[in-house]
Amino acid sequence: MRLRVYYEDTDCGGIVYHANYFKYCERARSEVFFKAHLIPQDQEHAFVIQSLQAQFGAPAMLGDSLEVQTQLLALKKVSVSLQQEIFKITSQKPELLFSMQIKIGFIHLPTKTATRIPPHFVRLLHGLQ
């Protein structure tokens, strides 16, 4: 997913606020579903974050063009692990600014218990390999 850094994404120095990297990755994960004309939840089920590990490299700045890449690391019955990286798009080689590994689980909302990821979501997530 490509995006541009706007003023609202930055601090007073024009540097992207650290929490926005997580938002960009969340948008990219959601976009995978939206492009397939799906929503990543229903009235009784949703994905929730179980854990994440993030590494910040160089900062993104106001006006930068960014690309978020998402890759499947592991897909289990009730969880999925992903690698997400944010690159600054330049005229030379893209520059890695941020990376994280995230594990998300699929839960039944009324009981807040883990439940099997539906087959149509499994097929979609396999496409991230």
Side-chain angles (χ1 to χ4, degrees), residues 18-62:
H18 72 279
N20 286 333
Y21 294 94
F22 299 113
K23 290 180 182 182
Y24 299 156
C25 289
E26 177 72 40
R27 290 178 196 165
R29 290 192 307 274
S30 295
E31 194 62 33
V32 169
F33 289 87
F34 297 153
K35 283 185 178 182
H37 306 287
L38 296 170
I39 296 176
Q41 67 179 44
D42 62 32
Q43 292 193 6
E44 291 197 1
H45 303 90
F47 286 100
V48 295
I49 295 174
Q50 289 182 294
S51 64
L52 65 82
Q53 181 180 3
Q55 292 81 37
F56 294 87
M61 305 294 289
L62 179 62

Side-chain angles (χ1 to χ4, degrees), residues 25-26 28-36 38-41 46-48 70-84 102-106 115-129:
C25 289
E26 177 72 40
R29 290 192 307 274
S30 295
E31 194 62 33
V32 169
F33 289 87
F34 297 153
K35 283 185 178 182
L38 296 170
I39 296 176
Q41 67 179 44
F47 286 100
V48 295
T70 304
Q71 180 182 8
L72 178 67
L73 297 176
L75 181 57
K76 298 184 178 178
K77 292 178 184 175
V78 299
S79 67
V80 60
S81 296
L82 302 166
Q83 173 77 31
Q84 291 191 279
I102 186 166
K103 183 177 181 182
I104 53 178
F106 197 68
T115 190
R116 185 180 291 271
I117 299 171
H120 61 290
F121 286 175
V122 169
R123 286 189 297 276
L124 180 64
L125 292 165
H126 272 297
L128 295 174
Q129 292 179 325

Side-chain angles (χ1 to χ4, degrees), residues 81-111:
S81 296
L82 302 166
Q83 173 77 31
Q84 291 191 279
E85 297 175 319
I86 300 177
F87 293 88
K88 177 181 174 183
I89 305 304
T90 66
S91 59
Q92 296 92 21
K93 180 182 170 190
E95 179 184 1
L96 179 63
L97 304 180
F98 174 84
S99 68
M100 76 172 184
Q101 289 187 2
I102 186 166
K103 183 177 181 182
I104 53 178
F106 197 68
I107 65 165
H108 181 247
L109 290 169
T111 62

